[in-house]
Amino acid sequence: MESNRLRIDSIDLSKILSKEDFSSLKIKKFKKGNLEYEDGSLSLYVFKSGKAKAMIFEDGEEFVLYFLKANNIIIPETSCAIEFLEDSEVYLIDAEKFTNLFANKEFSTSVIRSLKHRAELERNIIKNLVFKSCKKKIATFLIEIATTQDQKENGKYVLDLNLSIKTLSSFIGSKRQTVSTIINNLKKKKIIEKIDKNKYIIHKFDELENFE
């Protein structure tokens, strides 16, 4: 499965680092609901377990960039908070102290590739926010999830979308009522159909692509 904002690309440290390397890594535990911000250090956070969301939070509103799960990495910075959705454990890799890890070609290449992908993902998010209508942003988001999950029934894409309307609106960057109205409109036009608690099927993919 390709990566998307619900499931970004990962770096499996167990296949890269030695037991000795692991023993030198600090593990920080977080409780569900904890918020983490930049603390002034240049550190890689590599998720050992759990789940979180990377988000921008301002004036009581939040915009979700993507979810973070096991083997995902992020470098905390001032404009982006990490909210833990489950009890989680995170490897902390201080970039200034662990030069030996970055001397490992496979490790450094994996980290750079992952950060490059994250930058590309965030640029696409910005493009959607700046240049697309709310309808188009929702259609683009659904198509991205469907095509990267690549699950089909009778030739039609099926989305595993375990998101409330509130959370979906945080991914889209629009008001909850607006997102709810557009999703209901898509269902009314039979472009998509909810077939289970967290699953939708796209009946009219071409119409979704051209939804404005």
Side-chain angles (χ1 to χ4, degrees), residues 183-198:
I183 291 293
N184 287 332
N185 189 25
L186 287 170
K187 291 192 285 188
K188 185 177 180 180
K189 292 177 178 290
K190 300 188 185 302
I191 295 174
I192 64 172
E193 178 189 358
K194 191 170 186 177
I195 57 175
D196 204 347
K197 182 180 178 181
N198 301 319

Side-chain angles (χ1 to χ4, degrees), residues 133-170:
S133 66
C134 187
K135 286 183 177 181
K136 195 64 179 177
K137 285 190 288 186
I138 291 173
T140 300
F141 182 82
L142 296 177
I143 289 169
E144 175 192 335
I145 302 303
T147 53
T148 53
Q149 288 182 345
D150 199 25
Q151 301 177 43
K152 291 185 178 181
E153 290 183 8
N154 299 319
K156 297 179 180 179
Y157 281 109
V158 174
L159 292 85
D160 188 356
L161 198 66
N162 187 15
L163 300 176
S164 65
I165 291 296
K166 179 181 178 181
T167 303
L168 178 59
S169 65
S170 296

Side-chain angles (χ1 to χ4, degrees), residues 21-168:
D21 289 329
F22 270 108
S23 66
S24 66
L25 298 182
K26 178 182 177 181
I27 296 177
K28 188 172 182 179
K29 295 183 178 182
F30 297 91
K31 292 291 186 182
K32 179 180 178 180
N34 284 167
L35 285 171
E36 182 76 352
Y37 298 90
E38 180 187 24
D39 62 3
S41 65
L42 181 59
S43 298
L44 283 174
Y45 282 39
V46 183
F47 275 68
K48 183 176 185 288
S49 63
K51 182 179 179 181
K53 60 183 178 183
M55 64 177 186
I56 299 168
F57 187 83
E58 190 165 334
D59 297 330
E61 299 288 337
E62 70 173 44
F63 178 78
V64 178
L65 294 169
Y66 35 73
F67 285 148
L68 296 161
K69 301 178 183 179
N71 297 323
N72 290 157
I73 72 170
I74 188 170
I75 300 177
E77 40 94 6
T78 53
S79 65
C80 179
I82 304 170
E83 180 180 350
F84 290 85
L85 305 176
E86 300 174 358
D87 290 352
S88 305
E89 291 186 328
V90 177
Y91 293 111
L92 301 186
I93 303 177
D94 189 321
E96 295 177 352
K97 294 180 180 177
F98 288 92
T99 54
N100 58 313
L101 293 182
F102 289 93
N104 180 322
K105 182 178 179 180
E106 187 175 0
F107 175 80
S108 58
T109 300
S110 296
V111 168
I112 292 170
R113 185 184 297 115
S114 184
L115 294 177
K116 177 178 179 289
H117 170 78
R118 201 80 73 258
E120 291 170 345
L121 183 63
E122 290 172 5
R123 280 196 294 271
N124 284 332
I125 292 171
I126 292 170
K127 283 166 59 179
N128 285 338
L129 286 173
V130 173
F131 298 114
K132 294 182 179 179
S133 66
C134 187
K135 286 183 177 181
K136 195 64 179 177
K137 285 190 288 186
I138 291 173
T140 300
F141 182 82
L142 296 177
I143 289 169
E144 175 192 335
I145 302 303
T147 53
T148 53
Q149 288 182 345
D150 199 25
Q151 301 177 43
K152 291 185 178 181
E153 290 183 8
N154 299 319
K156 297 179 180 179
Y157 281 109
V158 174
L159 292 85
D160 188 356
L161 198 66
N162 187 15
L163 300 176
S164 65
I165 291 296
K166 179 181 178 181
T167 303
L168 178 59

